[in-house]
Amino acid sequence: MKFSENWLRSWVNPNLTSAELGHVLTMAGLEVEALEEVAPAFNNVVVAQVLSVEKHPDADRLNVCQVNIGEAENLTIVCGAANVAVGVRVPCARIGAVLPGDFRIKQAKVRGIASFGMLCSAVELGLATESDGLWLLPDDAPVGQSMRDYLELDDKLYTLKLTPNRSDCSGMKGIAREVAALTGSELKPIRIEAQAVTLTDTLSVAVEDQTSCPLYCGRLVKGVNAAAATPVWMQRRLERSGLRCINAVVDITNYVMMEQGQPMHAFDAAMLSGGITVRRAHKDEALTLLNDQAVVLDEAVLVIADEARVLALAGIMGGQGSGVETNTQDVFLEAAFFQPDAIAGRARRYGLATDSSFRFERGVDFAATRMALERVTQLLLEICGGSVGEITEVAGCMPVRAAITLRVSRVARVLGVALECGQIADLLTRLQFEFAMSGDSFSVTPPSFRFDLSIEADLIEEVARLYGYDNIPALAPHAALTMLPYSESQRPLNRIQQILVARDYQEIVSYAFVEEQVERELCGNADPVALQNPIASNLAVMRSSLLVGLVGALRFNLNRKQARVRLFEAGACFAKIDNKYVQTQRLSGLVCGSQLPEQWGATAKSVDFYDVKADVEALFAPQSVRFVAAAHPALHPGRSAQIFCGDNAVGWIGELHPHWQQQYDMAQACVWFEIEADAVMQAKVPRMSEIAKFLPVRRDLAVVVDECVSAQTLLDAMLQAPVSYVQEVVLFDVYRGRGMEQGKKSLAFRVLLQDTQTTLTDAEIEPGMALLVDVLNKCGAQLRM
């Protein structure tokens, strides 16, 4: 919404500067997107009349002019413009004037003749981009008056960024009403009177869809002079509102739209066949719009038609063949109220965005429709003349404005400011709201021009806007601070994340939405949680694993020549279990590249399963976890395992499947892990134990087993054996090769035994070691000799 400050101040004139007024509007929710000057700066330029024109004696293309600028003495000015002539009125820059571009006017001699100023074109004043000569002003332009005053060039232009709920401010009437309410200034509305009917002729109107068009008003005006000149003041206001002038009748309807906020339309009555009908378009009905665009309509579009054809898209744009031209003598004026839902989206369907659709989509004041038609009639008679017929009105069920209860206590609770009933009543009165008081509450009936008011919170917002957001103190909250209990059996997630950062991982954040096919294939989720309204086809389902986001981030880095990438993410995952939606928090990591940063102290080695396994064990420490070989659709067969903490499966670890490495163009193997956040956040409460004063005893056991026997099976069996003094059992060597039978392998375990009270003797150690050997034998292991 763009408008002239001078036009606004003719309605309401607060004692504020332009910038201050813009700030008031912005803080009230009417954001001032731009505040700009109408014209560039220049001074000392006045309206002048050329009294005489003589050829310059020493130049064929120059003229010596005597110019009247409203002072006792005329000026002699040398001018080279081809259109200079006796009697014309033009802008004259006097000596000392400063024009745009810091161009200063001085007394000068032109081919021997002194020139005391300059006659100007619109280009030289910065008011046009091209010109054919001097700017010829109207014959009634007052000689000697400043050009800035004559053309109101000290005016400023406001551009408001209206939100969809403030359609009441889509006209000067609404903006002025808002400014008067905000500043307490006097509102000086235009006086509109019902025009005397001097014509008995009318045009019949029928509304077939009264739900979409609850009110339609029309009036016939005959004998108008459509070729009459649009008044300069109206042209100026329209142009400064971003509208171009067409002819007097169209300009008047556009002007009333900008003034009252009510879109209008005028038909050439001679081009109509029978009466007017408001109806739904027929399928494949065609219409050529005023912008020469041909459209094909359907039943979803509301149209204005006569007995022969469609005349206009209702609330959007008129059609060719029925518009007003300069030779039009009889016009039919239209003003209507269309339900916003009946207009919304129809303009965009045809690639249109019109001033009318902008207003009707948001809602116009249905109580002012008839008055807007009277205003158009009033201006039409003043400018174009004519005879006025009776208004034909078809009304259906108009919107009902239900009363809203506003509680004073609720206002204080929401705003944090205790306002008295009298203060609130004054604010509601300034907003022109009808209300009744009952105790400490108000029953407020929203006016017809405010479609955005429906609940108590809306009224509280209105009170806050008028009271002023700047006047609401920013109070620091007062609350008792207490130490929250901290459980040692639960570690915060950020501490787990810090462990990964310390191990050279970098955190990422990815979308919880992923592509359905990738979710099914990579994550093995046959029944993903689908979105009802996805923002994109590749973001159609909720993720059941963090792997998809990590793979995407890894590819992004690899494509940018990052040789060593270690990423992790903590986030929610979603699944459907027994027709119920389940959300779990998980921690996942993906590693690719070298084990260590490039350096001279260690040989370059690619990261492998065991490097990442160590990272996972560090996350759970001091708890111990087990890794059990298992298959996962995303992981390499034989190089993947399920992670167990106690008897509970808490995650996965393994190399990415070669199929996915090839599909995602990964030259090196990548290792991924994912664990349940709840599991890794669990911690054992520390318990005090006596520190041993005696040295531990180490015994090594080397056994031969079949390739199919896992080391973890043997470790579990030994740890569960009832052997005293055993503190630790660790696998420290695996051997295959010379001296080993085919299908066999050698596993070497370190066993630490210790007693806190005494040094162990062989007699105490050997029975325990024998028991361990017996346990290993039962698992199919043979002691290696």
Side-chain angles (χ1 to χ4, degrees):
M1 175 67 186
K2 191 175 184 179
F3 60 90
S4 155
E5 182 182 2
N6 286 355
W7 190 7
L8 174 62
R9 290 189 182 273
S10 69
W11 282 74
V12 57
N13 190 13
N15 187 23
L16 299 171
T17 65
S18 302
E20 291 171 341
L21 178 57
H23 178 73
V24 168
L25 289 171
T26 297
M27 292 305 296
L30 303 178
E31 181 184 351
V32 176
E33 193 173 23
L35 175 59
E36 52 194 338
E37 303 284 346
V38 167
F42 63 82
N43 59 32
N44 213 5
V45 180
V46 299
V47 177
Q49 183 179 23
V50 178
L51 301 178
S52 66
V53 178
E54 297 179 359
K55 285 290 184 182
H56 193 290
D58 295 326
D60 295 337
R61 297 185 179 182
L62 297 179
N63 296 297
V64 180
C65 306
Q66 294 297 314
V67 179
N68 175 18
I69 60 169
E71 296 183 352
E73 294 185 7
N74 298 329
L75 298 181
T76 299
I77 297 177
V78 177
C79 176
N83 62 340
V84 65
V86 175
V88 297
R89 302 193 180 196
V90 294
C92 176
R94 305 177 61 182
I95 293 175
V98 180
L99 302 185
D102 198 29
F103 182 67
R104 299 177 181 273
I105 304 300
K106 302 177 182 178
Q107 180 181 341
K109 279 192 175 183
V110 182
R111 295 289 183 92
I113 296 181
S115 181
F116 297 89
M118 185 177 79
L119 303 184
C120 302
S121 67
V123 173
E124 289 161 333
L125 297 181
L127 301 176
T129 56
E130 57 183 25
S131 174
D132 295 330
L134 297 179
W135 186 2
L136 303 181
L137 302 175
D139 293 339
D140 60 353
V143 175
Q145 185 177 10
S146 166
M147 282 292 294
R148 298 198 72 88
D149 294 338
Y150 173 60
L151 297 176
E152 298 183 9
L153 298 181
D154 291 323
D155 192 8
K156 292 183 175 61
L157 299 181
Y158 287 92
T159 302
L160 298 186
K161 189 177 182 180
L162 290 180
T163 52
N165 64 313
R166 293 310 306 270
S167 60
D168 59 300
C169 291
S170 59
M172 185 55 61
K173 177 182 176 181
I175 297 171
R177 180 173 54 220
E178 186 77 4
V179 171
L182 292 169
T183 63
S185 302
E186 179 188 359
L187 180 65
K188 297 173 284 187
I190 301 297
R191 185 176 180 182
I192 304 175
E193 297 180 349
Q195 300 302 300
V197 176
T198 58
L199 185 68
T200 58
D201 295 354
T202 60
L203 201 63
S204 64
V205 174
V207 179
E208 294 181 0
D209 187 354
Q210 290 197 349
T211 301
S212 300
C213 179
L215 178 63
Y216 188 94
C217 299
R219 164 175 272 172
L220 198 61
V221 182
K222 290 190 172 184
V224 301
N225 177 18
T230 302
V232 174
W233 60 268
M234 183 179 289
Q235 292 183 41
R236 188 172 297 153
R237 289 177 176 178
L238 286 174
E239 289 169 355
R240 292 179 184 178
S241 297
L243 300 179
R244 64 183 181 90
C245 296
I246 299 173
N247 60 56
V249 177
V250 175
D251 292 347
I252 290 169
T253 58
N254 285 337
Y255 179 80
V256 172
M257 177 184 69
M258 299 302 299
E259 179 187 83
Q260 301 292 320
Q262 169 69 54
M264 314 289 295
H265 191 68
F267 296 100
D268 187 335
M271 306 299 291
L272 303 180
S273 300
I276 293 291
T277 302
V278 183
R279 60 173 173 82
R280 292 286 173 176
H282 301 147
K283 185 173 178 56
D284 296 331
E285 206 164 13
L287 173 66
T288 301
L289 301 172
L290 290 174
N291 64 352
D292 296 329
Q293 178 180 345
V295 296
V296 179
L297 311 175
D298 57 33
E299 294 86 347
V301 180
L302 197 67
V303 298
I304 311 298
D306 60 12
E307 295 177 0
R309 56 182 173 143
V310 174
L311 302 174
L313 289 179
I316 300 175
M317 184 181 288
Q320 288 190 357
S322 61
V324 175
E325 305 291 344
T326 53
N327 59 353
T328 298
Q329 296 182 346
D330 304 332
V331 298
F332 180 74
L333 300 175
E334 168 195 272
F337 170 69
F338 300 109
Q339 284 287 3
D341 290 344
I343 306 300
R346 275 52 171 195
R348 288 188 293 276
R349 176 183 298 186
Y350 300 109
L352 301 172
T354 66
D355 291 311
S356 294
S357 65
F358 176 86
R359 289 161 174 80
F360 280 126
E361 286 177 350
R362 290 158 175 77
V364 299
D365 184 3
F366 56 84
T369 302
R370 189 182 181 100
M371 193 58 65
L373 186 57
E374 293 285 7
R375 175 61 170 160
V376 167
T377 307
Q378 177 185 350
L379 292 172
L380 192 63
L381 294 180
E382 291 176 3
I383 299 170
C384 303
S387 301
V388 180
E390 189 70 53
I391 292 179
T392 302
E393 179 179 304
V394 179
C397 296
M398 304 300 289
V400 178
R401 309 301 285 150
I404 306 171
T405 299
L406 176 65
R407 295 164 292 172
V408 176
S409 59
R410 184 63 179 169
V411 173
R413 182 177 178 183
V414 173
L415 300 185
V417 178
L419 299 179
E420 298 179 357
C421 291
Q423 290 177 280
I424 296 176
D426 177 62
L427 297 177
L428 295 176
T429 301
R430 283 160 54 183
L431 287 165
Q432 300 183 17
F433 291 178
E434 294 182 3
F435 62 90
M437 294 181 58
S438 177
D440 66 343
S441 65
F442 295 81
S443 180
V444 183
T445 302
S448 57
F449 53 82
R450 290 299 299 270
F451 279 83
D452 58 317
L453 304 179
S454 57
I455 59 176
E456 185 179 26
D458 297 330
L459 294 178
I460 296 175
E461 181 185 1
E462 293 301 300
V463 171
R465 288 193 316 108
L466 258 67
Y467 181 74
Y469 294 118
D470 291 337
N471 296 325
I472 299 176
L475 301 177
H478 295 278
L481 298 179
T482 58
M483 291 289 289
L484 297 176
Y486 175 75
S487 174
E488 290 186 79
S489 64
Q490 188 82 12
R491 295 186 294 176
L493 183 60
N494 65 343
R495 186 176 298 176
I496 309 299
Q497 294 170 302
Q498 288 170 3
I499 294 174
L500 285 173
V501 171
R503 299 182 76 87
D504 217 10
Y505 283 78
Q506 292 180 306
E507 185 175 10
I508 71 160
V509 178
S510 64
Y511 278 119
F513 312 139
V514 297
E515 187 175 355
E516 182 175 1
Q517 182 179 355
V518 175
E519 173 68 17
R520 290 179 182 275
E521 296 178 356
L522 186 62
C523 302
N525 185 6
D527 188 18
V529 178
L531 298 174
Q532 289 186 350
N533 187 25
I535 58 176
S537 60
N538 62 334
L539 300 172
V541 299
M542 305 292 285
R543 66 188 178 191
S544 64
S545 168
L546 303 175
L547 176 58
V548 179
L550 287 167
V551 169
L554 175 62
R555 292 182 64 199
F556 184 89
N557 282 273
L558 294 178
N559 290 339
R560 283 153 183 79
K561 306 303 180 183
Q562 297 297 314
R564 183 173 183 267
V565 184
R566 300 168 67 86
L567 305 174
F568 81 93
E569 180 175 11
C573 295
F574 309 86
K576 193 189 304 181
I577 302 175
D578 297 332
N579 292 324
K580 292 183 179 179
Y581 296 109
V582 178
Q583 176 178 328
T584 56
Q585 196 77 5
R586 294 186 183 173
L587 184 68
S588 185
L590 186 62
V591 179
C592 183
S594 59
Q595 180 189 39
L596 298 172
E598 186 176 359
Q599 57 174 291
W600 65 91
T603 305
K605 173 181 175 295
S606 295
V607 70
D608 60 18
F609 176 94
Y610 295 100
D611 296 319
V612 179
K613 176 176 175 286
D615 294 333
V616 172
E617 290 174 333
L619 293 176
F620 280 92
Q623 295 187 82
S624 61
V625 290
R626 294 184 296 113
F627 300 85
V628 179
H632 188 283
L635 300 179
H636 192 300
R639 297 183 185 178
S640 63
Q642 198 165 14
I643 305 170
F644 282 82
C645 184
D647 295 328
N648 300 319
V650 297
W652 288 90
I653 184 172
E655 281 189 16
L656 211 58
H657 197 291
H659 167 73
W660 300 113
Q661 291 186 32
Q662 182 178 6
Q663 180 167 328
Y664 293 126
D665 298 325
M666 298 176 183
Q668 302 180 60
C670 307
V671 185
W672 165 70
F673 74 87
E674 183 163 297
I675 52 181
E676 301 288 344
D678 288 342
V680 76
M681 290 166 63
Q682 298 296 324
K684 289 184 178 180
V685 177
R687 294 181 181 275
M688 190 277 295
S689 61
E690 185 180 359
I691 299 176
K693 300 177 181 178
F694 303 94
L695 294 176
V697 176
R698 171 173 173 166
R699 290 286 189 271
D700 292 343
L701 289 176
V703 294
V704 177
V705 296
D706 293 335
E707 279 286 359
C708 62
V709 178
S710 68
Q712 188 66 49
T713 302
L714 302 182
L715 284 170
D716 291 343
M718 286 189 287
L719 290 172
Q720 292 173 8
V723 180
S724 301
Y725 314 124
V726 173
Q727 300 294 323
E728 182 182 70
V729 180
V730 177
L731 174 71
F732 70 87
D733 185 49
V734 178
Y735 175 74
R736 299 178 182 89
R738 188 174 180 181
M740 275 297 122
E741 295 181 22
Q742 187 70 24
K744 299 287 186 176
K745 63 183 175 182
S746 172
L747 302 178
F749 298 94
R750 180 181 71 243
V751 182
L752 289 182
L753 302 97
Q754 188 177 39
D755 187 355
T756 59
Q757 303 300 323
T758 183
T759 301
L760 294 175
T761 64
D762 289 342
E764 294 170 315
I765 295 171
E766 291 307 327
M769 294 302 298
L771 182 58
L772 291 180
V773 172
D774 185 54
V775 168
L776 291 173
N777 291 335
K778 291 179 181 179
C779 294
Q782 299 295 323
L783 199 62
R784 184 179 176 188
M785 299 301 180

Coordinates of all heavy atoms in Angstrom, one line a residue, residues 461-495:
E461 N -4.5 -7.5 21.9 CA -3.5 -7.0 21.0 C -3.8 -5.5 20.6 O -2.9 -4.7 20.5 CB -3.4 -7.8 19.8 CG -2.3 -7.4 18.7 CD -2.3 -8.2 17.5 OE1 -3.1 -9.1 17.3 OE2 -1.5 -7.9 16.6
E462 N -5.1 -5.2 20.3 CA -5.5 -3.9 20.0 C -5.2 -2.9 21.1 O -4.7 -1.8 20.9 CB -7.0 -3.8 19.6 CG -7.3 -4.6 18.4 CD -6.6 -4.1 17.1 OE1 -6.8 -2.9 16.8 OE2 -5.8 -4.8 16.5
V463 N -5.5 -3.3 22.3 CA -5.2 -2.5 23.5 C -3.7 -2.2 23.6 O -3.2 -1.1 23.8 CB -5.7 -3.1 24.8 CG1 -5.2 -2.4 26.0 CG2 -7.2 -3.2 24.8
A464 N -2.9 -3.3 23.4 CA -1.4 -3.1 23.4 C -0.9 -2.2 22.4 O 0.0 -1.4 22.6 CB -0.7 -4.5 23.3
R465 N -1.4 -2.3 21.1 CA -1.0 -1.5 20.0 C -1.2 0.0 20.4 O -0.3 0.9 20.2 CB -1.7 -1.8 18.7 CG -1.3 -3.1 18.1 CD -1.8 -3.3 16.7 NE -3.2 -2.9 16.5 CZ -3.5 -1.8 15.8 NH1 -2.6 -1.0 15.3 NH2 -4.8 -1.4 15.7
L466 N -2.4 0.3 20.8 CA -2.7 1.7 21.1 C -2.0 2.3 22.4 O -1.7 3.4 22.4 CB -4.2 1.9 21.2 CG -4.9 2.5 19.9 CD1 -4.8 1.5 18.8 CD2 -6.3 2.9 20.1
Y467 N -1.9 1.4 23.4 CA -1.2 1.8 24.6 C 0.2 2.1 24.3 O 0.9 3.0 24.8 CB -1.4 0.8 25.6 CG -0.7 1.1 27.0 CD1 -1.2 2.1 27.8 CD2 0.5 0.5 27.3 CE1 -0.6 2.4 29.0 CE2 1.1 0.8 28.5 CZ 0.6 1.7 29.4 OH 1.2 2.1 30.5
G468 N 0.8 1.3 23.3 CA 2.1 1.5 22.9 C 3.1 0.4 23.4 O 3.2 0.3 24.6
Y469 N 3.6 -0.3 22.5 CA 4.6 -1.4 23.0 C 5.8 -0.8 23.7 O 6.3 -1.4 24.6 CB 5.1 -2.2 21.8 CG 4.0 -3.0 21.1 CD1 3.6 -2.8 19.8 CD2 3.3 -4.0 21.8 CE1 2.6 -3.6 19.2 CE2 2.3 -4.8 21.2 CZ 2.0 -4.6 19.9 OH 1.0 -5.3 19.3
D470 N 6.1 0.5 23.3 CA 7.3 1.1 24.0 C 6.9 1.5 25.4 O 7.8 1.7 26.2 CB 7.7 2.4 23.2 CG 8.3 2.1 21.8 OD1 8.8 0.9 21.7 OD2 8.3 2.9 20.9
N471 N 5.6 1.6 25.7 CA 5.2 2.0 27.1 C 5.1 0.8 28.0 O 4.8 1.0 29.2 CB 3.9 2.8 27.0 CG 4.0 4.1 26.2 OD1 5.0 4.7 26.3 ND2 3.0 4.4 25.5
I472 N 5.1 -0.4 27.4 CA 5.1 -1.6 28.3 C 6.4 -1.9 28.8 O 7.4 -2.1 28.1 CB 4.5 -2.8 27.5 CG1 3.1 -2.5 26.9 CG2 4.6 -4.1 28.3 CD1 2.6 -3.6 26.1
P473 N 6.6 -1.8 30.2 CA 8.0 -1.9 30.7 C 8.5 -3.4 30.5 O 7.8 -4.3 30.6 CB 7.8 -1.6 32.2 CG 6.3 -1.9 32.5 CD 5.6 -1.6 31.2
A474 N 9.8 -3.4 30.3 CA 10.5 -4.7 30.2 C 10.9 -5.2 31.6 O 12.0 -4.8 32.0 CB 11.7 -4.6 29.2
L475 N 10.1 -5.9 32.2 CA 10.3 -6.3 33.6 C 11.1 -7.6 33.7 O 10.7 -8.6 33.0 CB 9.0 -6.4 34.4 CG 8.2 -5.1 34.4 CD1 6.9 -5.4 35.2 CD2 8.9 -4.0 35.2
A476 N 12.1 -7.6 34.5 CA 12.9 -8.9 34.6 C 12.0 -9.9 35.4 O 11.3 -9.5 36.4 CB 14.2 -8.6 35.4
P477 N 12.0 -11.1 35.0 CA 11.1 -12.1 35.7 C 11.7 -12.3 37.2 O 12.9 -12.3 37.4 CB 11.3 -13.4 34.9 CG 12.5 -13.2 34.2 CD 12.7 -11.7 33.9
H478 N 10.7 -12.5 38.1 CA 11.1 -12.8 39.5 C 10.7 -14.2 39.8 O 9.5 -14.6 39.6 CB 10.3 -11.8 40.4 CG 10.7 -10.4 40.3 ND1 11.9 -9.8 40.8 CD2 10.2 -9.4 39.5 CE1 12.0 -8.6 40.5 NE2 11.0 -8.2 39.7
A479 N 11.6 -15.0 40.2 CA 11.3 -16.4 40.5 C 12.4 -16.9 41.5 O 13.5 -16.4 41.5 CB 11.3 -17.2 39.2
A480 N 12.0 -17.9 42.3 CA 12.9 -18.5 43.2 C 13.8 -19.5 42.4 O 13.3 -20.3 41.7 CB 12.1 -19.2 44.3
L481 N 15.1 -19.4 42.6 CA 16.0 -20.3 42.0 C 16.4 -21.4 43.0 O 16.9 -21.1 44.1 CB 17.3 -19.5 41.5 CG 17.0 -18.4 40.5 CD1 18.3 -17.7 40.1 CD2 16.4 -19.0 39.2
T482 N 16.3 -22.6 42.5 CA 16.7 -23.7 43.4 C 17.5 -24.7 42.6 O 17.4 -24.8 41.4 CB 15.4 -24.5 43.9 OG1 14.7 -24.9 42.8 CG2 14.6 -23.6 44.8
M483 N 18.4 -25.3 43.3 CA 19.3 -26.3 42.6 C 18.5 -27.5 42.3 O 17.8 -28.1 43.2 CB 20.4 -26.7 43.6 CG 21.5 -25.6 43.8 SD 22.5 -25.3 42.3 CE 23.4 -26.8 42.3
L484 N 18.5 -27.9 41.1 CA 17.7 -29.1 40.6 C 18.5 -30.4 41.0 O 19.8 -30.3 41.0 CB 17.5 -29.1 39.1 CG 16.6 -28.0 38.6 CD1 16.5 -28.0 37.1 CD2 15.2 -28.0 39.2
P485 N 17.9 -31.4 41.4 CA 18.6 -32.6 41.7 C 19.4 -33.2 40.5 O 18.9 -33.1 39.4 CB 17.5 -33.6 42.1 CG 16.2 -33.1 41.5 CD 16.4 -31.6 41.5
Y486 N 20.5 -33.7 40.8 CA 21.4 -34.2 39.7 C 21.7 -35.7 40.0 O 22.2 -36.0 41.1 CB 22.7 -33.4 39.6 CG 23.7 -34.0 38.6 CD1 23.5 -33.8 37.3 CD2 24.8 -34.7 39.1 CE1 24.4 -34.3 36.3 CE2 25.7 -35.2 38.1 CZ 25.5 -35.0 36.8 OH 26.4 -35.6 35.9
S487 N 21.3 -36.5 39.1 CA 21.4 -37.9 39.4 C 22.8 -38.4 38.8 O 23.0 -38.2 37.6 CB 20.3 -38.7 38.7 OG 20.5 -40.1 38.8
E488 N 23.6 -39.1 39.6 CA 24.8 -39.6 39.1 C 24.7 -40.8 38.2 O 25.6 -41.2 37.6 CB 25.7 -39.9 40.3 CG 26.2 -38.7 41.1 CD 27.2 -39.2 42.1 OE1 28.4 -39.4 41.8 OE2 26.8 -39.3 43.3
S489 N 23.4 -41.3 38.2 CA 23.2 -42.5 37.4 C 22.8 -42.1 36.0 O 22.5 -43.0 35.1 CB 22.1 -43.4 38.0 OG 20.9 -42.7 38.1
Q490 N 22.7 -40.8 35.7 CA 22.3 -40.3 34.4 C 23.3 -39.3 33.9 O 23.6 -38.3 34.6 CB 20.9 -39.7 34.4 CG 20.3 -39.4 33.1 CD 19.8 -40.6 32.4 OE1 19.6 -41.6 33.0 NE2 19.4 -40.4 31.1
R491 N 24.0 -39.5 32.8 CA 24.9 -38.5 32.2 C 24.2 -37.6 31.2 O 23.4 -38.1 30.4 CB 26.1 -39.2 31.5 CG 27.0 -40.0 32.4 CD 28.2 -40.5 31.7 NE 27.8 -41.4 30.6 CZ 28.7 -42.0 29.8 NH1 30.0 -41.6 29.8 NH2 28.3 -42.8 28.9
P492 N 24.4 -36.3 31.3 CA 23.7 -35.4 30.3 C 24.2 -35.7 28.9 O 25.4 -36.1 28.7 CB 24.0 -34.0 30.7 CG 25.3 -34.2 31.6 CD 25.2 -35.5 32.2
L493 N 23.4 -35.5 27.9 CA 23.8 -35.8 26.5 C 24.9 -35.0 26.0 O 25.8 -35.4 25.3 CB 22.6 -35.6 25.5 CG 22.8 -36.0 24.1 CD1 23.2 -37.4 23.9 CD2 21.5 -35.7 23.3
N494 N 25.0 -33.7 26.5 CA 26.1 -32.8 26.0 C 27.4 -33.3 26.5 O 28.4 -33.1 25.8 CB 25.8 -31.4 26.4 CG 25.9 -31.2 27.9 OD1 25.8 -32.2 28.7 ND2 26.0 -30.0 28.4
R495 N 27.5 -34.1 27.6 CA 28.7 -34.6 28.0 C 29.2 -35.7 27.1 O 30.4 -35.9 26.8 CB 28.6 -35.1 29.5 CG 30.0 -35.6 30.0 CD 29.8 -36.0 31.5 NE 29.4 -34.9 32.3 CZ 29.1 -35.0 33.6 NH1 29.3 -36.2 34.2 NH2 28.8 -33.9 34.3

